[in-house]
Amino acid sequence: MQHDTYEGLMAPAHSRSLSSETARAEAAQSPEEQETHPALDPSVTNVPVTPGVHLAGRSAYFEPEENAHSPDLPLDSDETAPGPQWNAKSNFAPKEEERSSSPTEVAAGARSGAEILRRLSLAPDTATKRKDVADINPRTAHPGLNLSGRVLSATSCVPYTLSYSPGNDWGLSPRRGTSALFDSLSYLASAASPWDHTLIGWTGEIKESSTAQAISNTDYPSATTSKNKGTAPIPVDPTKPPAPPQPEGLRVSRPDRQRLEEQLERDHGGKVVPVWLIDEKDEKTDDVILKEQPRWRRYAEHELYTLFHYKMNEPADGRAVRKSWADYYAMNKLFADRIVELYTPGDIIIIHDFYLLLLPSLLRQRLPNAYIGFFLHIPFPSSEFYRCLSRRKEILEGMLGANMIGFQSYSYSRHFSSCCTRILGFDSSVAGVDAYGAHVAVDVFPIGINVASTEQQAFSDPIVGEKANAIRDLYKDKRIIVGRDRLDSVRGVAQKLQAFEIFLERFPEWREKVVLIQITSPSSVQGSVQADKEEDSGVVNKVSDLVARINGDFGSLSYSPVQHFPQYLSREEYFALLRIADVGLITSVRDGMNTTSLEFVLCQKDNNGPLILSEFSGTAGSLSEAIHVNPWDLGGVADAINQALQKSEKERKELYSQLYHHVVANDVQAWSNNFLKRLTTNLSSFDQSFATPSLDRTKVLDQYRKAKRRLFMFDYDGTLTPIVKDPQAAIPSDRVIRTLKTLAADSANSVWIISGRDQAFLDEWMGHISELGLSAEHGSFMRQPRTEEWENLTEKTDMSWQSEVISIFQHYTEKTQGSFIERKKIALTWHYRRADPEYGAFQARECQKHLERTVGKKFEVDVMTGKANLEVRPRFVNKGEIAKRLVQGYGDGPEEAPDFVLCLGDDFTDEDMFRALRSSKLPADHVFSVTVGASSKQTLASWHLVEPADVISTVSMLNGSADAANVGAVAVVDGSVPESRL
């Protein structure tokens, strides 16, 4: 197979085949090893092609070579200093341009999120203006935020692949992929940035070093050494006990874990903190045991990555997805634990990509006032496609824990806002989403690359120039089209080849005058399930068949129209190809931000080659001067290739000048600064102190199991059942009845329904559960558990106000079609659920003013607004009094008061219960007050659930029945995934 050598790239296509030695080696592999397609074997693809991090100033397009020449990157020592050594592109050229206004100044005075977004979008390009205060000292620019100056960046993995040898230094080799991300983190850790940066990431799959394996084999020749000297293959000393069997997996001691953390900071400059995702822990020795390490990637890569790129998995047994979801939840929880350990007030937390979509909410639950930004590096699908995700609500709720969410393109941000409205019911706009009592900003930040470093590597290394000349000589008198893609179905390699085939058919004049050099490498997403591996193999086979067919139909002994290299390239070859290309061709069918297109532009300073770019790439919205194509329109792509090859020198220069200016002005340094500036501007513009986090089910379950005296208080409408137009139609489902009955059957639980409903309704639908306590008409009546008698708490109250209220209600009922009056024993309610929503709300406001001017001044009554209703009741009667009475009924002693209280309600009348619990003397971690519904109202509750189904799901979890939504929380508390496929 072709190796990573200059001569290898020059070899003709027909000579690139497996050697007999390689074939024999593959035949000897185990069945597990043979699962990988031969073309994806590491021996073939042993040099990275996707940009990432490398030691000693190299890019992840190439494998580091010993003693290889690597010129220093441009650096102004007066203004900046190198960043951490773990990134090749860690030096950043200072910006010398002037700048007239900052995002802070532009946003000053704006009254809404949409206005802030409009002003920022109309502001001049920040990369071409002078620095403002926020560039130099963010704390001075935003004094009200009390910033610490620290940025904590959470990403899926640390920038290294780790190898482990007990008692020795860790082996650190650069991790492939995600160059733009690591370039950004490298900049934040450099002296060019005003921030103090810490990177937090999973260790990734740790491999045992070859040295450690050799030692292990020497120390323990066999895990099952025979005690019988006659049958032992090696003489056994009877005075020595046999070697203990080695545990399955990799055992890492605490000293070795500490050594890694010290080594990361000592040897590599930037602060890198590893997150340990472990299978078991030896409590005696404090060793951690790592077994099936790839499982932590499984849900993100098999479920999320697939669907976010508009692909669907085949239906399968739900058990596997259930387990992978639990692992995904646990992974995000462990990240949250690590960040909470490091966090100090005023820190900014930035979370990256689809591996950590739950992390913003998990952090918000524990750090309510933290400043959190999230950026998604891959596409976000439309609501019609996203709705197919089984855990769609949990993912959206997780992301909405951030103060600001960034996307690569406007369409992705629009899809996200639409999903929040369609699935969760939250109000949204182009500026963001109103959720949990706060505004979550949604914005667009097309990521860039490290321009200074890329240009330095492409043009200052003489070896790159030599290789460029050699490649040009090899394909003399031919126009060169270059493509470089990951080898998976979303990259559109097959579409590219099919379009090129049509091009050769449709335009025969270009035959033997054009060559397509296509570089492919394994997908950055590791196939962790059999279906993924089969898909990868299918793509490999299809691409190979297409290459063979095109070369067979249009090639000759001296000409192969497609030069396909299924391997990684060296840095020199990669940049040489980009420099000499006549056309860049990118046909991804769905992509986040394609950095190859940006690097192609930088490398074309001498050639001014056109760029053909898929409209489905995240880069398309930024590179408007590229030739945009629909990769599914094969004929259209063929025409675009012909158009690109025919462009005049003048046309090429004009288009290239605009492309080049955009790429240079919007580099990764500008991206990092813009993201942080927009985040701090939004934080300064919106009061985030009223945000209510999503209910922490792990904490609820843990406290429930510890508690001995538990009190539950449920509202009815909108909490146990959805709001419906006809109040009499809001009957509880069988699941609600079963769940409440099971909960109340536990002798440690006191369960109450505290509703605005009258006695008759509660008796009819809930009265048969004798263990339930009932409170009707907002606390006017009570029925104790295991009794049938109702206690009237208002029998001595003056009720003469009712006749006047009925008269006023009747007046507005006649004027408002669809409205009606509900007469209870104590309260009177005017409903307008069936009326026109806008007119009904208007009439309700008029009626409220009328009541407050008349009845409200003559009697001790409250006029209360609810969900599509208006209610008048005695002033001293409210749900808060009932909640206070129930808590006080336990007593005040330390062994008397309830040690677990769960109170849930959905509207304004339930705020009285939340207020009463806040004023009680109960420990805060024993009380869970939860508002229910998609409303963005500000509330006195401490937690939030989206809909009644979430309430029943949570209570079912406490009853011991973990559905799919709760399996993650149960797995974290129990340490294992419940066996079920539901």
Side-chain angles (χ1 to χ4, degrees), residues 773-912:
L774 303 176
S775 174
E777 297 193 31
H778 302 288
S780 300
F781 300 90
M782 290 183 69
R783 196 199 79 172
Q784 296 290 336
R786 297 178 179 82
T787 67
E788 296 183 357
E789 299 297 323
W790 285 88
E791 178 185 359
N792 185 351
L793 303 180
T794 61
E795 57 186 352
K796 297 181 181 181
T797 304
D798 178 13
M799 304 299 290
S800 60
W801 53 269
Q802 286 191 335
S803 59
E804 189 169 345
V805 171
I806 288 176
S807 176
I808 295 173
F809 276 170
Q810 189 63 43
H811 170 74
Y812 284 92
T813 300
E814 293 171 357
K815 294 177 62 176
T816 311
Q817 185 177 0
S819 64
F820 61 94
I821 302 171
E822 181 184 4
R823 302 189 183 194
K824 305 174 184 177
K825 288 186 177 180
I826 300 298
L828 295 173
T829 306
W830 182 66
H831 293 276
Y832 57 93
R833 295 180 189 177
R834 301 174 186 170
D836 178 83
E838 292 186 5
Y839 185 67
F842 168 76
Q843 289 290 73
R845 289 192 295 270
E846 295 299 310
C847 182
Q848 182 180 3
K849 293 175 186 177
H850 192 164
L851 289 166
E852 290 172 346
R853 287 195 309 265
T854 55
V855 179
K857 291 185 177 180
K858 291 192 290 185
F859 299 96
E860 291 291 318
V861 295
D862 284 324
V863 181
M864 310 294 294
T865 57
K867 289 190 175 179
N869 67 64
L870 202 60
E871 183 166 287
V872 182
R873 66 179 186 230
R875 185 159 293 165
F876 73 91
V877 175
N878 61 66
K879 294 182 179 181
E881 292 298 321
I882 297 298
K884 189 184 302 182
R885 183 169 180 162
L886 292 176
V887 171
Q888 292 174 346
Y890 279 85
D892 296 330
E895 295 299 322
E896 296 176 343
D899 45 5
F900 177 89
V901 177
L902 179 60
C903 177
L904 303 102
D906 73 306
D907 70 10
F908 184 77
T909 62
D910 300 307
E911 296 295 315
D912 293 325

Side-chain angles (χ1 to χ4, degrees), residues 382-424:
S382 69
S383 60
E384 288 303 308
F385 212 87
Y386 180 82
R387 287 164 60 189
C388 298
L389 185 67
S390 60
R391 302 271 60 81
R392 59 192 187 184
K393 284 199 325 183
E394 290 81 359
I395 294 296
L396 292 177
E397 290 174 333
M399 296 175 70
L400 287 171
N403 300 105
M404 185 180 80
I405 302 173
F407 296 91
Q408 298 276 20
S409 74
Y410 173 71
S411 62
Y412 303 159
S413 68
R414 181 169 52 84
H415 291 163
F416 173 78
S417 296
S418 175
C419 285
C420 290
T421 299
R422 291 169 179 259
I423 295 172
L424 299 181

Side-chain angles (χ1 to χ4, degrees), residues 178-491:
T178 60
S179 73
L181 168 59
F182 285 125
D183 279 345
S184 168
L185 303 183
S186 178
Y187 160 68
L188 291 175
S190 74
S193 164
W195 301 96
D196 178 13
H197 181 259
T198 299
L199 187 158
I200 300 132
W202 173 38
T203 60
E205 291 90 339
I206 298 173
K207 299 179 180 179
E208 191 173 11
S209 70
S210 56
T211 304
Q213 291 173 352
I215 293 173
S216 176
N217 291 337
T218 302
D219 291 345
Y220 307 109
S222 173
T224 56
T225 307
S226 173
K227 295 183 182 181
N228 187 326
K229 297 171 71 173
T231 61
I234 302 174
V236 175
D237 186 346
T239 63
K240 294 183 179 181
Q246 293 302 290
E248 180 186 355
L250 195 65
R251 179 181 287 264
V252 184
S253 66
R254 171 169 282 278
D256 284 333
R257 300 199 299 275
Q258 293 174 337
R259 180 182 292 107
L260 174 62
E261 298 186 19
E262 294 169 0
Q263 192 176 338
L264 286 173
E265 188 163 351
R266 180 193 70 208
D267 295 344
H268 300 278
K271 297 178 182 176
V272 180
V273 177
V275 176
W276 295 90
L277 305 180
I278 64 174
D279 294 276
E280 297 177 15
K281 187 171 184 178
D282 190 326
E283 298 297 338
K284 294 181 180 179
T285 63
D286 203 18
D287 292 352
V288 298
I289 300 172
L290 311 177
K291 294 183 178 179
E292 191 192 352
Q293 298 182 70
R295 71 186 175 99
W296 304 107
R297 298 178 179 272
R298 193 161 293 145
Y299 188 84
E301 295 183 352
H302 184 62
E303 302 295 331
L304 297 178
Y305 181 89
T306 302
L307 186 133
F308 280 30
H309 285 83
Y310 290 82
K311 298 193 300 180
M312 294 294 295
N313 293 318
E314 291 293 326
D317 190 313
R319 294 184 182 90
V321 176
R322 182 183 175 93
K323 186 177 187 307
S324 65
W325 169 253
D327 290 337
Y328 185 77
Y329 181 95
M331 173 182 177
N332 281 258
K333 186 74 166 56
L334 289 168
F335 264 85
D337 294 342
R338 196 70 165 112
I339 291 172
V340 169
E341 291 174 7
L342 300 170
Y343 176 82
T344 58
D347 289 353
I348 290 179
I349 303 170
I350 302 179
I351 301 164
H352 292 273
D353 226 5
F354 62 102
Y355 293 93
L356 302 174
L357 294 177
L358 302 181
L359 184 54
S361 179
L362 293 174
L363 286 173
R364 182 68 62 202
Q365 292 168 354
R366 299 168 65 177
L367 304 171
N369 298 316
Y371 304 143
I372 304 174
F374 178 85
F375 188 80
L376 185 67
H377 292 259
I378 64 172
F380 194 93
S382 69
S383 60
E384 288 303 308
F385 212 87
Y386 180 82
R387 287 164 60 189
C388 298
L389 185 67
S390 60
R391 302 271 60 81
R392 59 192 187 184
K393 284 199 325 183
E394 290 81 359
I395 294 296
L396 292 177
E397 290 174 333
M399 296 175 70
L400 287 171
N403 300 105
M404 185 180 80
I405 302 173
F407 296 91
Q408 298 276 20
S409 74
Y410 173 71
S411 62
Y412 303 159
S413 68
R414 181 169 52 84
H415 291 163
F416 173 78
S417 296
S418 175
C419 285
C420 290
T421 299
R422 291 169 179 259
I423 295 172
L424 299 181
F426 290 134
D427 294 333
S428 65
S429 67
V430 294
V433 180
D434 294 326
Y436 308 133
H439 177 77
V440 179
V442 176
D443 216 332
V444 179
F445 303 91
I447 202 166
I449 59 175
N450 191 332
V451 171
S453 175
T454 302
E455 289 191 333
Q456 180 73 14
Q457 294 179 72
F459 291 98
S460 297
D461 188 346
I463 300 177
V464 174
E466 292 173 7
K467 290 184 179 291
N469 292 333
I471 297 172
R472 175 55 72 188
D473 289 341
L474 183 67
Y475 300 104
K476 191 175 181 179
D477 300 326
K478 290 182 175 58
R479 307 291 290 277
I480 298 176
I481 303 172
V482 169
R484 196 278 296 179
D485 305 273
R486 290 285 187 184
L487 195 55
D488 61 40
S489 58
V490 301
R491 305 302 176 182

Side-chain angles (χ1 to χ4, degrees), residues 126-174:
T126 58
T128 61
K129 306 299 179 182
R130 66 177 173 81
K131 294 181 179 179
D132 70 339
V133 176
D135 292 311
I136 303 168
N137 190 338
R139 286 186 285 184
T140 302
H142 302 279
L145 297 180
N146 296 316
L147 296 173
S148 67
R150 295 204 315 161
V151 172
L152 309 179
S153 293
T155 183
S156 59
C157 295
V158 297
Y160 314 101
T161 299
L162 306 178
S163 58
Y164 173 59
S165 176
N168 299 313
D169 276 356
W170 290 73
L172 307 178
S173 58

Side-chain angles (χ1 to χ4, degrees), residues 695-705 710 712 714 739 742-743 746 749 900-902 904 928 951-963 966 970:
L695 180 63
D696 186 346
R697 302 190 190 194
T698 302
K699 187 175 182 180
V700 170
L701 180 60
D702 186 53
Q703 183 60 34
Y704 176 85
R705 291 183 176 179
R710 312 184 191 110
F712 294 83
F714 298 95
T739 301
T742 303
L743 186 70
D746 190 326
N749 297 341
F900 177 89
V901 177
L902 179 60
L904 303 102
F928 298 89
V951 175
I952 302 306
S953 172
T954 301
V955 177
S956 297
M957 174 187 70
L958 302 182
N959 287 338
S961 175
D963 59 21
N966 294 315
V970 174

